[in-house]
Amino acid sequence: MCGRYASARKKHELLEEFQVEQDASPDQELAPDYNVAPTKQVYAVLSRVPQDAQRAVRQLRVLRWGLVPVWAKDPSIGSRMINARLETVAEKPAFKRAFASRRCLLPADGYFEWMPVEGEKKKKQPFYIHPEDDGVLAMAGLYEFWKDPTRADDDPLKWLVTCTVITTQAEDALGHIHDRMPMMIERERWAEWLDPKLTDTEQASRLLVPADSGRLVAYPVSTDVNSVRNNGPHLIEPQQPEEESALF
């Protein structure tokens, strides 16, 4: 699963990188976050057709990580919906409607996974996984709108917009760390993936092609990332694995 990631690029960089036409959250500028965790606010790139418009417009929005389905009684379910498995995303009740027309890209610099420490039942070594060229990761995501029945119609918090990360089986080079990884969308498929008029789930599924083997690199990092209270660029600095440092 993908349960933590880093997203430190500034908004203007993402607007340019993803060729965004509209800043849909103009009053929100997220601080660099090296320990993005579930329920946090995150940037998402998506395309929607504005009222009285003829075509979809690519937007950058601030959403909450942890998808809340339209049928949910309350938003607490979102903390358990941070990932959607590629193998079942088109059939699962929580995700199938969003997969049909509400797909997005979740920009990241890299993500974290944990590998059990040999000989230690409860210890796990965190690894930071990122593009070898330090480029941006466009993680495949879904977003959903949830209407809070306890709030008045004119309440600005009436609608909650949330998202989830689609995951797939990890490539061989990374599978020894964790058997799952976020699904990436390559640049040439961004437009089609984001197109809300593409409602054929079989066609959408064909866009989910694993990243080329070897594009991502991984190295051990500090266990400080284990706590969501910790943040900062030191969390992605290479560290000596715990089992090795214990020998010295």
Side-chain angles (χ1 to χ4, degrees):
M1 64 178 291
C2 174
R4 302 282 180 82
Y5 66 93
S7 181
R9 283 174 166 80
K10 296 183 181 299
K11 177 186 275 191
H12 71 84
E13 295 178 288
L14 297 177
L15 291 171
E16 181 178 352
E17 177 73 24
F18 288 90
Q19 298 179 317
V20 172
E21 299 173 85
Q22 179 187 14
D23 181 355
S25 301
D27 299 328
Q28 290 180 278
E29 175 91 31
L30 300 181
D33 196 337
Y34 295 88
N35 200 357
V36 180
T39 74
K40 278 190 173 184
Q41 299 289 305
V42 300
Y43 285 126
V45 178
L46 51 95
S47 291
R48 293 184 64 78
V49 181
Q51 285 186 332
D52 303 322
Q54 299 299 314
R55 66 175 183 86
V57 174
R58 188 174 295 185
Q59 306 175 349
L60 182 71
R61 287 195 178 207
V62 174
L63 312 182
R64 193 175 83 170
W65 185 17
L67 189 139
V68 180
V70 293
W71 42 260
K73 293 182 178 179
D74 63 73
S76 63
I77 192 175
S79 62
R80 305 194 303 275
M81 300 289 181
I82 64 170
N83 292 157
R85 293 176 67 91
L86 168 65
E87 297 84 351
T88 57
V89 66
E91 291 85 31
K92 285 281 188 179
F95 306 124
K96 64 180 183 179
R97 292 179 60 179
F99 186 64
S101 60
R102 287 183 291 279
R103 298 175 297 273
C104 65
L105 299 172
L106 300 170
D109 299 319
Y111 65 97
F112 300 94
E113 290 294 2
W114 283 257
M115 184 172 71
V117 175
E118 187 175 355
E120 299 283 350
K121 289 184 177 180
K122 295 184 178 181
K123 276 192 176 181
K124 290 187 177 182
Q125 172 65 55
F127 281 77
Y128 181 59
I129 304 168
H130 68 101
E132 189 173 24
D133 62 2
D134 290 324
V136 66
L137 287 177
M139 301 189 296
L142 308 175
Y143 68 97
E144 189 58 274
F145 293 89
W146 181 76
K147 189 176 183 180
D148 189 340
T150 67
R151 295 182 180 274
D153 289 342
D154 59 351
D155 189 330
L157 299 179
K158 179 71 173 180
W159 289 95
L160 177 65
V161 192
T162 58
C163 60
T164 189
V165 177
I166 297 177
T167 65
T168 187
Q169 185 173 351
E171 60 175 82
D172 291 345
L174 302 174
H176 71 285
I177 299 174
H178 196 280
D179 63 348
R180 304 294 296 181
M181 66 182 292
M183 173 60 72
M184 312 302 172
I185 302 292
E186 299 300 331
R187 186 179 298 270
E188 62 269 19
R189 299 190 182 96
W190 286 358
E192 195 172 3
W193 172 254
L194 295 175
D195 187 358
K197 294 182 179 179
L198 172 58
T199 58
D200 184 330
T201 55
E202 288 189 12
Q203 187 176 347
S205 295
R206 288 195 289 270
L207 299 174
L208 296 172
V209 179
D212 294 337
S213 179
R215 181 189 169 199
L216 302 177
V217 295
Y219 54 77
V221 293
S222 169
T223 53
D224 284 352
V225 75
N226 294 354
S227 172
V228 297
R229 292 189 296 272
N230 297 326
N231 215 314
H234 72 283
L235 295 181
I236 64 172
E237 293 176 359
Q239 300 286 322
Q240 192 175 35
E242 282 199 356
E243 64 268 31
E244 293 183 13
S245 61
L247 299 177
F248 299 94

